[in-house]
Amino acid sequence: LICRQMNIPILPPDVNEGEWDFSVSNGSIRYGMSAIKSVGRPVIEAIVSERKERGKFKDFYDFIERMSGQGVNKRYIENLIKAGALDGFGVNRRQMMLGYGPILDSVSQERKDVITGQMDLFSLLSDEESAQFKTPLPNVSEYDREELLGYEREVMGIYVSGHPLE
């Protein structure tokens, strides 16, 4: 409330900019990823470490691909989506909620194939060429405002992107 009165925007957690705790982002206060229920310190540290080592996550698929082998499971991904921590990828939360399962399964299968030494035709393609064969996200519209706020409240205990009475 005080921040709103002072015109200081409060931003949701973000896997490409956020930290464990609150941080400053271009004159705004960014919620820390520690506010997200069921996403503990080891997972957040893995996200931040991966981002520092290999750069920001390019898109939703890149995030899942890079983090799936580091303890980030379906429950974590779902809670990150609900909190808005993956909103910076240019796709809506409903698309991510409906698409993360198949993408995670695809990435897991690719890892198993690499471990067993199996090759496929896609491994011979460049990253740009193989991108067109990645599991696509469904083409659906975003949740309505009440659902988005409800999810934020569910996983963070507060409304970040607005308030139902606004």
Side-chain angles (χ1 to χ4, degrees):
L1 183 62
I2 294 171
C3 289
R4 284 197 180 126
Q5 290 172 347
M6 297 176 65
N7 291 326
I8 300 173
I10 304 292
L11 304 174
D14 186 305
V15 296
N16 271 332
E17 293 185 18
E19 302 291 332
W20 166 259
D21 212 352
F22 288 92
S23 59
V24 176
S25 178
N26 296 326
S28 301
I29 297 174
R30 179 158 315 273
Y31 243 86
M33 288 187 278
S34 62
I36 305 170
K37 290 181 183 172
S38 302
V39 179
R41 186 175 288 275
V43 170
I44 295 168
E45 287 176 351
I47 291 170
V48 172
S49 174
E50 176 69 18
R51 183 181 72 213
K52 287 180 179 176
E53 285 178 30
R54 297 182 51 204
K56 289 185 175 186
F57 301 100
K58 291 179 268 188
D59 54 33
F60 185 56
Y61 192 93
D62 183 49
F63 175 78
I64 292 175
E65 191 172 47
R66 288 167 54 185
M67 296 310 303
S68 67
Q70 299 190 44
V72 175
N73 61 29
K74 288 182 178 185
R75 185 183 69 197
Y76 295 139
I77 293 170
E78 189 170 308
N79 286 353
L80 289 167
I81 293 168
K82 288 179 178 180
L86 302 172
D87 286 356
F89 295 136
V91 292
N92 68 53
R93 293 183 199 179
R94 181 179 276 172
Q95 287 178 293
M96 290 185 280
M97 287 294 282
L98 295 173
Y100 77 86
I103 292 172
L104 196 56
D105 293 342
S106 170
V107 167
S108 295
Q109 186 59 49
E110 286 174 24
R111 286 180 197 261
K112 287 178 188 171
D113 291 347
V114 167
I115 290 170
T116 60
Q118 295 180 11
M119 286 185 63
D120 61 15
L121 293 175
F122 301 120
S123 63
L124 302 174
L125 300 174
S126 71
D127 287 344
E128 291 173 4
E129 291 171 326
S130 65
Q132 62 186 322
F133 297 105
K134 291 182 179 175
T135 306
L137 290 173
N139 186 15
V140 294
S141 62
E142 179 63 284
Y143 293 115
D144 62 40
R145 183 167 170 78
E146 290 78 26
E147 286 178 286
L148 288 173
L149 293 173
Y151 284 139
E152 289 175 8
R153 176 109 175 147
E154 175 189 329
V155 298
M156 294 178 52
I158 60 159
Y159 305 111
V160 177
S161 63
H163 194 279
L165 299 178
E166 290 179 329

